[in-house]
Amino acid sequence: MASRVDHEYDYLFKIVLIGDSGVGKSNILSRFTRNEFCLESKSTIGVEFATRTLQVDGKTIKAQIWDTAGQERYRAITSAYYRGAVGALLVYDITKSQTFDNVQRWLRELRDHADSNIVIMMAGNKSDLSHLRAVAEQDGQSLAEKEGLSFLETSALEAYNVEKAFQTVLTQIYHVISKKALAAQEANGGGASALPGQGTTINVGDSTANTKRGCCST
Ligand SMILES: Nc1nc2c(ncn2[C@@H]2O[C@H](COP(=O)(O)OP(=O)(O)O)[C@@H](O)[C@H]2O)c(=O)[nH]1
Ligand SMILES: [Mg+2]
């Protein structure tokens, strides 16, 4: 029975949420995985990650999304948080320009700790608070283009673009790993399919697939 449950997806992708404290990371996560939103601000405690399984290009993808437990407040996110991550959602708050200014700092953090092939989506959250806007959408767009990131404005409150942000990241990751598998297959003389089997965890940085157990225990 247990092994059946283990194999109800084709791929498991680890995605990390990063960005300043208070930008809405935990609510983006709860909106995406449980369709819940909480107006009260409370630090994330206890939860390490939440998952949701969805379809991408006809494949069943299990997204394992990691949320900080408030460490971002103390700039104390450890490299274990980034280990094995194939995607990142870098969130700022459109009503607080400081959180947008800090995007560069988060990108540096990703460059230092995460895999160089990590797929990054920048999200300007709280788009519902347009009367308090401090960061123009065009400024977000320009920075994203300069840094080679995807970009969307989101609202965890109104469930606006949250689904799309994750779908986009997961689709890009899937395309990256399919291309890698194809390249490996060609390098091997085009023999048996080099695409990993069901239930394997993909590391965009590695040419080999890790087992699920190996990935999640880190
Ligand atoms: N108006 C509005 N408030 C939001 C949104 N997302 C989060 N918040 C609020 O912003 C505060 C911080 O959110 P939280 O998810 O804890 O941020 P985190 O510290 O980045 O995890 C909470 O009071 C949330 O209710 C949003 O999209 N719109
Ligand atoms: Mg939080």
Side-chain angles (χ1 to χ4, degrees), residues 57-206:
D57 279 10
K59 296 285 176 195
T60 305
I61 308 287
K62 183 167 181 170
Q64 184 189 67
I65 304 149
W66 288 61
D67 191 11
T68 68
Q71 306 102 312
E72 76 276 30
R73 214 177 288 252
Y74 315 103
R75 303 197 168 179
I77 295 183
T78 63
S79 49
Y81 185 71
Y82 298 100
R83 197 171 302 140
V86 290
L89 197 68
L90 202 180
V91 187
Y92 68 88
D93 176 345
I94 67 149
T95 72
K96 295 211 164 62
S97 47
Q98 177 76 53
T99 67
F100 181 64
D101 297 340
N102 280 338
V103 162
Q104 296 286 358
R105 196 180 68 76
W106 287 108
L107 285 173
R108 264 202 308 279
E109 172 112 352
L110 278 176
R111 273 196 285 273
D112 289 348
H113 296 289
D115 189 278
S116 57
N117 291 307
I118 194 165
V119 172
I120 306 167
M121 160 71 75
M122 183 170 76
N125 191 42
K126 309 196 187 180
S127 68
D128 55 286
L129 298 176
S130 51
H131 54 297
L132 299 174
R133 180 185 286 275
V135 182
E137 184 164 13
Q138 186 54 50
D139 290 347
Q141 190 65 55
S142 302
L143 179 63
E145 278 163 26
K146 179 169 150 263
E147 299 290 342
L149 319 170
S150 299
F151 171 67
L152 282 172
E153 283 201 346
T154 58
S155 169
L157 174 69
E158 293 182 336
Y160 170 70
N161 272 348
V162 171
E163 188 87 16
K164 189 172 174 190
F166 284 106
Q167 270 282 354
T168 304
V169 170
L170 293 167
T171 304
Q172 283 178 8
I173 295 167
Y174 178 63
H175 289 166
V176 169
I177 64 112
S178 316
K179 254 195 228 140
K180 266 185 169 285
L182 205 63
Q185 191 178 349
E186 278 163 9
N188 287 336
S193 170
L195 277 170
Q198 277 208 332
T200 42
T201 296
I202 304 306
N203 232 321
V204 281
D206 293 351

Side-chain angles (χ1 to χ4, degrees), residues 22-27 37-39 41 125-126 128-129 155-157:
V23 297
K25 299 181 296 298
S26 298
N27 275 282
F37 180 84
C38 179
L39 255 183
S41 187
N125 191 42
K126 309 196 187 180
D128 55 286
L129 298 176
S155 169
L157 174 69

